[in-house]
Amino acid sequence: MKLNGALAGALLSFLARAEATRVRGGKASAIDISSVGDLLEPMEPRQLQTADFVPLACNAALADAVCTPLPADFAGVVPCGVCYSMSDFGGARAGETLTMASGLNVIGRLDFPDGSKVTIETPSVFVQGILSMSSTRAVTGEPDVRIRMTGDTDVNFTPEGENAGACSGGACNVGPKAFVVAGGQLDINGMPDSCPTWSHILSVGHAAQPVPADFPSPPDPPTSSSGALCSASVVNEDFEGGLNQWYGNLGAYESIQEGSHDGSRYLSITERTANFQGPLFELSNEIKECILPDTAY
């Protein structure tokens, strides 16, 4: 996690989910992350995980991805491998307030370029990809980017991709006003790296939640008969290219639909009359060679 820059005095009065976060810079600037309401008492130290979250493979080419302006109907989820830019908020949409009632979940990348002016109100921020902010303007004490952490109810965090097994039952209860960096990168840069100043976190809140149990690390991928190293993701399908060997079992009808929560396509199985008529996938010999016997996935 990199917080490098001059940030507002209220910065990190939000509920942080990291124990060793430092903010580089002075107490006034262009970026402000704060909590609406009081911190919770009593506060017991906790953490989501220590080292088992890894960067998502679907973000491997994210550094070279072309960032597109944030969609007008953005609901709070940045898909993996996709980069959205807040560049419009340095122009026509400057000064807008975005309310993300279901939270901000950055699975891909969300970039706030220099000059962005926006307020985001959200009960949670999850960073599984990259959340980057940059400001080089003179410090005035009036922030350009504000993130207001709202709500007082617990929030559940569901890891994506390789980290899907990190939470027992598929989701972790991370408490209210959660700012979670899990396998991702938080990069807030408001000053040159040569500036030798540091500001300590003003307030860190902890809720008395249990630490999730350890889970098995992914197995080392084997080598196929062709000599190629198998991918860590044995089956990875987004249905953007069609059915791709997926079908409904024994009489069920399969189709690709559009209009999911993040705008992507999904597989629909209809006309089912029994539980076993779910989706099926034909494993090729190449995939079978990459599946290890007697191994937990």
Side-chain angles (χ1 to χ4, degrees), residues 245-250 267 269 276 278-282:
Q245 308 300 320
W246 290 85
Y247 59 93
N249 189 17
L250 296 177
L267 173 66
I269 303 296
F276 63 82
L280 294 179
F281 177 74
E282 189 70 31

Side-chain angles (χ1 to χ4, degrees), residues 16-33:
R17 291 293 180 262
E19 294 181 348
T21 306
R22 293 190 294 180
V23 180
R24 188 176 182 184
K27 282 190 174 180
S29 84
I31 302 168
D32 172 24
I33 306 176

Side-chain angles (χ1 to χ4, degrees), residues 44-281:
E44 296 294 336
R46 72 185 182 94
Q47 59 190 27
L48 187 61
Q49 270 288 351
T50 54
D52 286 324
F53 286 90
V54 298
L56 300 176
C58 51
N59 283 332
L62 200 56
D64 299 323
V66 176
C67 296
T68 58
L70 190 76
D73 59 351
F74 180 71
V77 178
V78 181
C80 198
V82 173
C83 179
Y84 288 152
S85 172
M86 304 295 282
S87 55
D88 284 353
F89 295 88
R93 302 182 65 183
E96 283 190 22
T97 295
L98 303 181
T99 300
M100 301 176 188
S102 298
L104 174 59
N105 189 2
V106 183
I107 306 173
R109 181 179 181 182
L110 182 61
D111 180 58
F112 292 73
D114 196 3
S116 302
K117 297 182 179 180
V118 62
T119 297
I120 295 176
E121 296 180 347
T122 177
S124 61
V125 177
F126 301 149
V127 183
Q128 305 184 68
I130 301 175
L131 175 59
S132 54
M133 302 180 184
S134 178
S135 177
T136 59
R137 71 165 174 79
V139 174
T140 64
E142 183 64 24
D144 289 341
V145 178
R146 301 174 185 264
I147 297 181
R148 295 287 180 259
M149 307 299 293
T150 61
D152 55 8
T153 58
D154 288 0
V155 177
N156 288 324
F157 166 59
T158 302
E160 296 285 330
E162 295 89 329
N163 299 317
C167 297
S168 177
C172 291
N173 183 338
V174 292
K177 295 177 179 145
F179 201 118
V180 177
V181 179
Q185 177 182 340
L186 177 62
D187 186 354
I188 300 179
N189 193 342
M191 279 186 127
D193 290 339
S194 58
C195 183
T197 63
W198 293 94
S199 292
H200 296 285
I201 293 177
L202 297 180
S203 181
V204 178
H206 299 280
Q209 300 291 340
V211 176
D214 292 337
F215 63 97
S217 298
D220 294 329
T223 300
S224 66
S225 59
S226 65
L229 182 66
C230 293
S231 170
S233 299
V234 178
V235 177
N236 186 5
E237 181 58 68
D238 58 12
F239 299 109
E240 294 301 317
L243 289 170
N244 295 335
Q245 308 300 320
W246 290 85
Y247 59 93
N249 189 17
L250 296 177
Y253 176 73
E254 66 277 355
S255 63
I256 298 299
Q257 302 292 326
E258 297 183 355
S260 66
H261 68 284
D262 61 357
S264 61
R265 296 184 178 184
Y266 63 93
L267 173 66
S268 173
I269 303 296
T270 57
E271 301 184 15
R272 296 174 60 179
T273 58
N275 290 336
F276 63 82
Q277 291 179 301
L280 294 179
F281 177 74

